[in-house]
Amino acid sequence: MQDYYPFDKVEEKWLRRWENSNLDKTGTDPDKENYYVLEMFPYPSGNLHMGHVRVYSIGDVVARYKRMEGYNVLHPMGWDAFGLPAENAAIKHGNIHPKEWTWKNIAHMKEQMKAMGLSYDWDREVTTASKDYYKWTQWFFAKMFARDLAYRKESTVNWCPSCETVLANEQVVNEGCERCGTEVEPRELEQWFLKITEYADRLLDDFKELDNWPEKVKTMQKNWIGRSEGTRINFPLKDLDEHLEVFTTRPDTLYGATYMVLAPEHPLVSELTEGSEKEEEVKEFIAKVKKQKEEERTSAESEKLGIFTGAYAVNPVNDKEIPIYIANYVLMSYGTGAIMAVPAHDQRDFDFARKYDIPVKAVIQPEDIEDKLKGSEMEEAYADDGYLINSDQYNGLSVKEAFAKMAEDFSEAGFAKVETNYRLRDWLISRQRYWGAPIPIVYCDDCGAVAVPEEDLPVELPHDVEFSPSGESPLKKVDDFVNTSCPQCGGPAQRETDTMDTFVDSSWYFLRYTDANNEQKAFAKDKADKWFPVDQYIGGIEHAILHLLYSRFFTKVVHDMGMAEAVEPFTNWLAQGMVLKDGAKMSKSKGNVVDPKDILEEYGADTARLFILFASPPEKDLEWSNKGVEGANRFLNRVWRYITDNIELIKNEEAEIKPAELDKDAKKLYRIMHSSIKKVSEDIGQRLNFNTAISAIMELTNEVYSYLNDREEAEINSALLRTAAENTLLLLAPFAPFLSEELWERIGYEESIHLASWPEYNQSALEKDEITIVIQINGKVREKINVDADISEEEVKEKVMAEEKVQSYLEGSELIKTIYVPSKLVNLVIK
RNA sequence: GCGAAAGUGGCGGAAUUGGCAGACGCGCUAGAUUUAGGAUCUAGUGGGUAAUCCCCGUGUGGGUUCGAGUCCCACCUUUCGCACCA
């Protein structure tokens, strides 16, 4: 009789029953340890895609496993619900409001998640676009404003002409908008910033708490923050009563500075050249650089171009005159926008000096070369360690010694100071779009910018707004919203009309989950500390800088506010790979999308989960395979079939297994059962390698089949069969929650399998009576013998030497050496 | 250009500590069952070979070792990150 797992009926049945159960609720047992597993919440676009299926399946396996292991588990879900797509959809479809669109999508995706069998505690659902949530996002902004961590400043910012809003530096990728790819334009605007730079050092230093983060991601963040320690040095100008300030990480090479360079945008440029014979030439050059910058923006090795200004600076250590150039390779946005150039020890300066025939003066001598470096003969810059030459009293010092000594001396002499520079810029959070949390600031003629007090929060986003993008916030046109009174003096005032970057919303949602329904606070400290930091965070690598850096910053601010103990939000982070089809990311334009809905309809949720976890380790990209899906389905049917076929035998069995009485095949099944438990436990619990965990369950199932195939029903050890079936279901429960639950009930349990304890393996059951010893001759496998497990080294060697094949190899050769690896192999070295 | 990761059958992948390469799955071959197909069950499946012997085999070339997918050196390819940050 053929029997198939009727997934549709089973899923319907258990979805209904689970709905009224407390299975997925956050654990509260004071005797258990707490565990917080979290997947990045989705943007509610309307439908789950395969990427969602993958990340949420991973998280669900961890959550279910940890529950069975005896932890209180917090496994929540929510919606990153503010953002442009809602507005764009509303604009595209005409008569639907972003709010309506968002809430409709949320309802649908929530149903899809439930259908997937994902075990979330929906009592803690968080939606960033709901008033209950964004009230606290605004509250955090106001608190930061009070702590001087939020400020308004006019500066050059990145403008996306397609999204019609400004963007943070982190949201500009290859000079394009992170969302739509459109090339960004610089604009001078007054905008709100969060002072993430104040946390730059802590964001770097606290990586020591994050041993388990992927090295790659830490490197990316380190690069992004870009800390460099150096010295700010003042060079007097020759004919002007002014100074030229430069930042350098190599104060030890000051004696080797043979020219200075200003960025074309540097304010001193006009002062130095105005009225001079060089003025016209310099202006032409700057115009050329500006034009070139746009045209050759993407070229990797753009040529270094420069021009002499005719002006000179004076080296403060030896009063030598140094010519000042303007060049395209110095940027106004970093350091002071000016450098001292040391061509002998910096490759860029070296290239430039050779091109414009500027002297090269070596001041660092490599230890391992006898001849003194000569600037005129060098072929490339020498940037490594060595000792100082041509540097007066500093000669002979190592680079490290000289760095410290010179920085100190120069500071005392008053023309330099030690300084650390960062690449990181403050986080621009103003957005000129509608669907976001209004920045809770009121402008009063008398009091200036005033934060909206807590009792007046939230500043509600008005509903009826003409929100087509216009380059200005749509809220500007809503008089009721704009006109208000000053919270401080009561006088007439206007509200800030920009909304916040959606990355602000998602920078603290993981804390809200710990106390999601608190109406008095963002979250209570005791609740936060009970769960936070997140033990295991799972999400896409695309957030390596953006969301993860912002969240780390927020967590540190929260800590400083005394609201939580943790200084880092995510103890472990798993970056899951993409889901590909035909070697490419699934996308509508490529027409290679597989809709999870279709897979669920044809094979059911358990098959979908099982396939996506089996096909590849989680951090690697996964190639979608319809055949692979069928394979996963086939395996579930194999489990279903052997248990239902033998249901009477299994159901009625109550006896315990007596390992000593098992026959040979039974013993093998018994052993594999225990080794599977061990393997699956380690693979889920420690390695997060679900593909090999599943293969271990398959091996167990295969072994059950081979046990059953070899004997008549009367010969089946039903206690063993029952235990094997139970363990198979327990191991499978995190992966295939529906099938395991149904069969668990059928074999006689009344309580859910998801409340059962994770099985334990028995070390003694793993040990074999008989082991296989590999015999190698000169490292090549030539024979294998089976011996008793407790055999001595001498006995093994005796047996090996007695082997016919070994004898034939030994004939006419000399045995030089015998290597014995206990329980594994014997290697005979012969000549 | 710099840095990191990866490269294993026809395919996805396994080998966690230097010790039987290819677990598990897909595909394929044969058999059983079936009117037939599908499904299922059984056996086989890295290449060469009649073969269970033997030879070859983890991107390429060297090295260390009794023994290397695993360690070291050089190179090739792919992916990712950084790319004038003074």
Side-chain angles (χ1 to χ4, degrees):
Chain A
M1 186 193 84
Q2 300 305 322
D3 201 1
Y4 298 95
Y5 164 48
F7 67 87
D8 43 356
K9 290 200 188 71
V10 170
E11 287 180 7
E12 201 194 320
K13 166 182 166 185
W14 289 105
L15 279 176
R16 208 170 48 239
R17 286 214 209 163
W18 290 340
E19 188 74 36
N20 305 314
S21 76
N22 286 321
L23 289 177
D24 304 332
K25 297 289 170 276
T26 306
T28 54
D29 188 337
D31 296 331
K32 291 181 175 178
E33 278 186 62
N34 298 325
Y35 191 89
Y36 186 179
V37 53
L38 182 67
E39 304 102 62
M40 287 180 185
F41 65 169
Y43 184 84
S45 58
N47 292 291
L48 288 187
H49 56 67
M50 278 304 171
H52 292 131
V53 173
R54 189 169 192 198
V55 63
Y56 301 135
S57 295
I58 292 169
D60 200 49
V61 168
V62 174
R64 289 180 183 276
Y65 169 74
K66 284 287 173 184
R67 283 193 203 106
M68 290 174 81
E69 273 239 294
Y71 289 83
N72 293 318
V73 171
L74 172 58
H75 186 221
M77 184 40 71
W79 313 97
D80 188 13
F82 267 140
L84 281 183
E87 272 175 84
N88 294 342
I91 292 160
K92 193 174 156 196
H93 299 120
N95 52 3
I96 185 165
H97 190 274
K99 182 169 183 177
E100 201 186 317
W101 186 83
T102 301
W103 258 257
K104 200 183 79 193
N105 287 349
I106 288 174
H108 184 233
M109 287 174 80
K110 191 168 167 179
E111 282 317 301
Q112 286 189 301
M113 285 183 175
K114 286 183 177 175
M116 284 279 306
L118 301 172
S119 61
Y120 296 121
D121 181 353
W122 289 107
D123 290 351
R124 291 171 186 252
E125 181 178 359
V126 152
T127 305
T128 60
S130 86
K131 271 188 288 183
D132 313 333
Y133 185 87
Y134 75 70
K135 170 179 177 174
W136 301 110
T137 306
Q138 292 175 335
W139 181 85
F140 273 114
F141 178 89
K143 288 289 170 193
M144 289 197 187
F145 181 66
R147 299 173 77 91
D148 279 334
L149 289 172
Y151 65 93
R152 197 167 137 91
K153 186 180 85 175
E154 177 162 339
S155 66
T156 311
V157 297
N158 304 298
W159 176 267
C160 173
S162 163
C163 298
E164 301 214 39
T165 181
V166 297
L167 300 169
N169 285 357
E170 289 79 13
Q171 289 153 33
V172 179
V173 180
N174 294 330
E175 311 202 21
C177 169
E178 176 247 349
R179 275 196 40 75
C180 66
T182 310
E183 191 176 319
V184 299
E185 303 166 353
R187 279 204 185 180
E188 288 293 325
L189 288 169
E190 198 173 356
Q191 300 280 303
W192 284 95
F193 293 85
L194 297 184
K195 218 182 262 178
I196 192 170
T197 53
E198 192 161 312
Y199 285 76
D201 284 331
R202 285 166 67 187
L203 287 166
L204 287 169
D205 295 344
D206 288 346
F207 278 131
K208 68 179 184 297
E209 312 264 326
L210 302 177
D211 290 343
N212 296 320
W213 272 40
E215 221 34 65
K216 181 181 167 177
V217 173
K218 287 193 268 187
T219 306
M220 282 169 73
Q221 289 202 6
K222 280 176 194 164
N223 288 342
W224 184 259
I225 295 167
R227 172 162 70 187
S228 53
E229 281 151 46
T231 308
R232 189 184 273 253
I233 301 177
N234 260 321
F235 287 72
L237 294 176
K238 190 186 161 198
D239 299 317
L240 271 169
D241 188 24
E242 283 205 54
H243 289 266
L244 173 54
E245 272 204 317
V246 303
F247 173 75
T248 179
T249 54
R250 294 296 302 275
D252 54 301
T253 62
L254 179 52
Y255 284 86
T258 55
Y259 65 99
M260 314 289 289
V261 186
L262 301 178
E265 303 84 358
H266 198 284
L268 268 179
V269 168
S270 56
E271 253 183 272
L272 289 175
T273 57
E274 220 161 70
S276 81
E277 55 185 29
K278 295 271 185 185
E279 184 173 1
E280 274 313 301
E281 217 183 315
V282 166
K283 276 187 177 159
E284 269 171 41
F285 173 77
I286 291 174
K288 194 171 120 196
V289 168
K290 280 190 172 156
K291 201 170 139 211
Q292 183 217 26
K293 208 177 162 190
E294 280 180 30
E295 280 170 11
E296 292 180 31
R297 188 172 47 78
T298 48
S299 82
E301 295 284 310
S302 60
E303 203 188 358
K304 287 168 184 54
L305 294 174
I307 187 169
F308 179 45
T309 60
Y312 290 86
V314 178
N315 191 332
V317 286
N318 56 13
D319 293 336
K320 286 209 170 126
E321 291 183 3
I322 308 176
I324 303 174
Y325 282 72
I326 299 168
N328 61 350
Y329 76 98
V330 171
L331 310 173
M332 196 57 222
S333 59
Y334 186 81
T336 62
I339 62 162
M340 66 176 210
V342 184
H345 306 294
D346 182 290
Q347 191 58 41
R348 293 157 299 175
D349 297 345
F350 185 86
D351 294 343
F352 189 85
R354 282 284 184 263
K355 180 165 178 187
Y356 292 97
D357 224 5
I358 302 167
V360 175
K361 182 183 172 192
V363 291
I364 307 291
Q365 173 68 25
E367 294 277 2
D368 52 354
I369 299 175
E370 278 191 27
D371 295 337
K372 290 252 161 164
L373 272 189
K374 278 197 190 127
S376 56
E377 291 166 12
M378 291 169 75
E379 281 170 16
E380 57 177 10
Y382 177 77
D384 289 335
D385 268 352
Y387 58 91
L388 271 73
I389 53 171
N390 300 327
S391 301
D392 293 347
Q393 72 268 36
Y394 302 104
N395 285 342
L397 294 178
S398 73
V399 164
K400 209 178 153 195
E401 288 163 347
F403 185 105
K405 184 85 172 82
M406 290 166 99
E408 195 193 325
D409 289 356
F410 299 167
S411 300
E412 265 175 37
F415 62 81
K417 65 174 190 221
V418 173
E419 191 178 82
T420 305
N421 250 299
Y422 301 89
R423 206 183 85 118
L424 182 71
R425 294 283 166 263
D426 279 337
W427 176 11
L428 197 177
I429 57 150
S430 307
R431 294 294 179 272
Q432 290 73 44
R433 295 293 299 251
Y434 167 65
W435 193 233
I439 294 175
I441 288 285
V442 167
Y443 298 103
C444 166
D445 286 344
D446 295 326
C447 309
V450 179
V452 176
E454 182 172 343
E455 60 270 22
D456 294 341
L457 294 177
V459 175
E460 276 195 53
L461 184 66
H463 188 269
D464 294 318
V465 177
E466 174 51 57
F467 46 75
S468 298
S470 62
E472 285 203 316
S473 169
L475 298 181
K476 267 206 159 67
K477 289 173 254 165
V478 185
D479 291 344
D480 284 357
F481 177 82
V482 174
N483 295 318
T484 182
S485 54
C486 172
Q488 253 171 41
C489 70
Q494 283 81 45
R495 286 190 193 281
E496 167 67 58
T497 53
D498 282 352
T499 52
M500 278 189 253
D501 181 6
T502 53
F503 280 99
V504 179
D505 307 325
S506 58
S507 291
W508 71 281
Y509 78 108
F510 39 84
L511 278 156
R512 181 68 179 172
Y513 283 137
T514 65
D515 193 10
N517 300 304
N518 195 329
E519 290 176 11
Q520 311 305 318
K521 294 176 177 177
F523 49 84
K525 182 166 188 295
D526 61 328
K527 298 265 178 67
D529 287 341
K530 186 174 170 187
W531 298 106
F532 194 64
V534 175
D535 292 289
Q536 182 67 57
Y537 198 38
I538 305 154
I541 189 87
E542 68 274 15
H543 289 110
I545 291 175
L546 290 158
H547 165 60
L548 289 165
L549 190 66
Y550 297 147
S551 297
R552 294 182 62 218
F553 161 59
F554 250 78
T555 299
K556 290 173 200 307
V557 174
V558 162
H559 172 85
D560 290 353
M561 289 167 71
M563 294 176 69
E565 292 299 321
V567 295
E568 282 291 336
F570 313 120
T571 308
N572 294 290
W573 180 44
L574 173 68
Q576 105 276 358
M578 288 189 299
V579 182
L580 310 177
K581 177 87 195 295
D582 309 320
K585 188 176 179 177
M586 290 186 183
S587 76
K588 274 183 200 150
S589 58
K590 290 199 195 79
N592 61 347
V593 175
V594 179
D595 191 339
K597 192 179 104 221
D598 298 336
I599 304 301
L600 256 62
E601 273 171 19
E602 198 174 346
Y603 298 99
D606 288 347
T607 295
R609 295 166 58 119
L610 200 72
F611 164 72
I612 212 155
L613 293 169
F614 179 62
S616 187
E619 68 282 359
K620 280 187 64 176
D621 286 349
L622 177 155
E623 173 68 28
W624 185 265
S625 154
N626 289 327
K627 286 288 184 188
V629 176
E630 284 174 28
N633 190 245
R634 198 173 300 157
F635 165 63
L636 289 178
N637 274 316
R638 266 164 78 80
V639 174
W640 176 266
R641 201 174 301 119
Y642 92 74
I643 294 180
T644 51
D645 282 356
N646 295 286
I647 195 75
E648 292 307 318
L649 215 52
I650 293 172
K651 199 168 150 183
N652 298 322
E653 179 55 54
E654 281 171 20
E656 291 214 355
I657 304 170
K658 300 190 182 75
E661 291 170 18
L662 296 176
D663 62 43
K664 199 174 165 225
D665 291 344
K667 206 153 201 169
K668 189 175 174 205
L669 173 55
Y670 183 69
R671 194 186 72 240
I672 286 175
M673 182 175 82
H674 283 277
S675 67
S676 300
I677 295 170
K678 180 169 194 258
K679 175 87 179 140
V680 176
S681 307
E682 288 171 356
D683 281 353
I684 303 179
Q686 289 151 44
R687 300 195 331 143
L688 298 173
N689 274 13
F690 310 105
N691 54 333
T692 48
I694 293 166
S695 77
I697 309 174
M698 287 173 169
E699 281 179 78
L700 172 57
T701 305
N702 291 346
E703 193 56 36
V704 171
Y705 268 81
S706 94
Y707 176 74
L708 292 175
N709 274 320
D710 286 349
R711 58 194 62 214
E712 299 298 319
E713 188 169 323
E715 295 174 320
I716 295 172
N717 181 328
S718 53
L720 177 63
L721 183 63
R722 180 182 172 96
T723 313
E726 280 177 355
N727 281 320
T728 304
L729 295 177
L730 288 166
L731 297 179
L732 208 47
F735 299 96
F738 292 101
L739 172 131
S740 55
E741 184 78 305
E742 174 69 17
L743 288 175
W744 193 247
E745 186 187 57
R746 290 199 187 196
I747 65 173
Y749 284 97
E750 282 169 17
E751 194 179 68
S752 170
I753 192 169
H754 302 296
L755 293 171
S757 292
W758 189 252
E760 284 178 21
Y761 68 90
N762 186 340
Q763 186 61 42
S764 66
L766 300 178
E767 282 154 21
K768 297 179 178 179
D769 297 338
E770 204 181 61
I771 52 173
T772 303
I773 298 283
V774 171
I775 302 174
Q776 294 183 340
I777 312 281
N778 289 342
K780 289 191 172 173
V781 180
R782 295 298 178 189
E783 189 61 282
K784 294 169 191 177
I785 53 170
N786 290 326
V787 297
D788 290 342
D790 54 1
I791 195 166
S792 71
E793 180 171 346
E794 283 65 37
E795 284 174 299
V796 171
K797 285 182 178 169
E798 250 169 59
K799 277 189 187 267
V800 167
M801 298 313 282
E803 282 294 309
E804 210 177 304
K805 211 160 170 189
V806 171
Q807 286 298 324
S808 74
Y809 272 98
L810 280 175
E811 207 158 310
S813 304
E814 185 192 346
L815 180 64
I816 296 169
K817 202 169 167 186
T818 307
I819 286 133
Y820 175 64
V821 182
S823 308
K824 275 189 181 145
L825 66 78
V826 172
N827 187 12
L828 303 175
V829 184
I830 63 172
K831 200 163 71 178

